């Protein structure tokens, strides 16, 4: 029986949910043949039974390819679509409420609750300016970064477990860089 699998090549092909599942199984452990099987099962969306049908010589190659994906250097992505809904990164960090700050501070350090932290950082876009016709020869471009998001209504309002890792990692790297920059200025 021939098995055809899709191996992720970019962080944008892996969901937060998949990564959380992987961490529950593998965090802090050495890679063993069983963990290689779990890696392929989780990130390639196949069953363990199907993984056992893969040639032994291909297992190392597949897991190496998956590991290379995690070397990607993500950038902050401020908008994305999930389930036909557009989400935007909180546009004014300096106007974050105390409740948002407390939730973010408690959820961000733990991968089990990372989807809740993403609910603090990303919310449905409620307003996004459109490009307008200025005159016959020129377009008036409005800065699309000046969008508005829904008011924060708690960390469980939207299921963001299916957002992609490029978005998650990009926001984490952004906060890590911001924190380091602030510490250097202090």
């Amino acid at each position: 029986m021939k098995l055809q699998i899709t191996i992720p090549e970019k962080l944008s092909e892996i969901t937060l949910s998949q990564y959380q599942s992987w961490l529950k199984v593998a965090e802090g452990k050495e890679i063993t043949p069983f963990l290689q099987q779990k890696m392929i099962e989780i990130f390639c969306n196949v069953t363990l039974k199907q993984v056992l049908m893969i040639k032994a010589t291909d297992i190392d190659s597949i897991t190496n390819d998956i590991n290379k994906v995690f070397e990607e250097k993500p950038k902050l992505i401020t908008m994305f679509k999930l389930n036909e809904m557009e989400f935007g990164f909180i546009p004014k960090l300096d106007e974050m409420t105390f409740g948002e700050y407390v939730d973010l501070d408690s959820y961000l350090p733990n991968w089990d609750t990372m989807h809740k932290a993403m609910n603090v950082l990303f919310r449905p876009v409620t307003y996004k300016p459109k490009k307008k016709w200025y005159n016959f020869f020129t377009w008036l471009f409005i800065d699309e970064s000046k969008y508005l998001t829904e008011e924060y209504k708690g960390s469980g309002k939207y299921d963001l477990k299916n957002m992609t890792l490029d978005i998650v990692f990009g926001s984490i790297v952004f906060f890590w860089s911001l924190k380091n920059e602030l510490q250097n200025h202090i």
Side-chain angles (χ1 to χ4, degrees):
M1 181 178 162
K2 235 181 183 179
L3 175 67
Q4 191 169 358
I5 65 171
T6 303
I7 304 166
E9 297 176 349
K10 302 180 282 192
L11 288 173
S12 62
E13 297 172 354
I14 298 173
T15 66
L16 174 55
S17 177
Q18 287 175 306
Y19 192 66
Q20 288 173 318
S21 296
W22 169 245
L23 290 178
K24 283 181 184 174
V25 173
E27 195 166 34
K29 298 177 185 166
E30 290 289 319
I31 295 292
T32 62
F34 174 73
L35 284 181
Q36 286 181 305
Q37 292 172 23
K38 289 300 286 181
M39 178 184 278
I40 295 169
E41 174 194 31
I42 291 168
F43 295 121
C44 298
N45 292 313
V46 294
T47 65
L48 271 179
K49 202 176 206 180
Q50 291 172 314
V51 174
L52 293 173
M53 293 189 296
I54 298 172
K55 285 194 277 181
T57 54
D58 291 339
I59 295 292
D60 283 336
S61 175
I62 293 169
T63 55
N64 285 337
D65 288 346
I66 294 170
N67 280 322
K68 285 179 189 170
V69 171
F70 294 103
E71 295 172 8
E72 189 178 317
K73 305 270 190 269
K75 293 184 168 114
L76 179 64
I77 296 171
T78 57
M79 286 189 174
F80 69 96
K81 276 195 173 186
L82 181 66
N83 300 327
E84 302 302 316
M85 188 177 286
E86 188 168 32
F87 287 85
F89 188 77
I90 183 171
K92 296 180 181 178
L93 285 173
D94 57 333
E95 293 181 16
M96 184 182 289
T97 66
F98 185 67
E100 290 169 315
Y101 175 79
V102 168
D103 284 354
L104 188 59
D105 191 49
S106 63
Y107 297 136
L108 200 55
N110 185 347
W111 277 101
D112 288 337
T113 57
M114 188 59 67
H115 57 285
K116 292 182 177 187
M118 293 299 113
N119 262 284
V120 177
L121 296 176
F122 292 95
R123 297 191 220 129
V125 174
T126 57
Y127 172 76
K128 183 176 165 184
K130 305 279 186 229
K131 296 174 184 170
K132 295 183 179 177
W133 182 256
Y134 182 64
N135 67 32
F136 186 76
F137 300 105
T138 315
W139 283 93
L140 171 64
F141 291 102
I142 297 174
D143 184 2
E144 289 188 9
S145 67
K146 301 207 187 294
Y147 56 89
L148 299 175
T149 59
E150 185 177 276
E151 193 173 301
Y152 183 60
K153 295 177 182 158
S155 61
K157 180 146 187 200
Y158 299 100
D159 183 8
L160 296 182
K161 288 185 176 186
N162 286 324
M163 67 189 296
T164 57
L165 275 188
D166 58 331
I167 301 165
V168 176
F169 284 3
S171 63
I172 292 170
V173 168
F174 172 78
F175 271 97
W176 180 78
S177 300
L178 182 64
K179 178 184 170 189
N180 286 343
E181 194 173 312
L182 291 172
Q183 285 178 337
N184 287 340
H185 287 290
I186 291 173

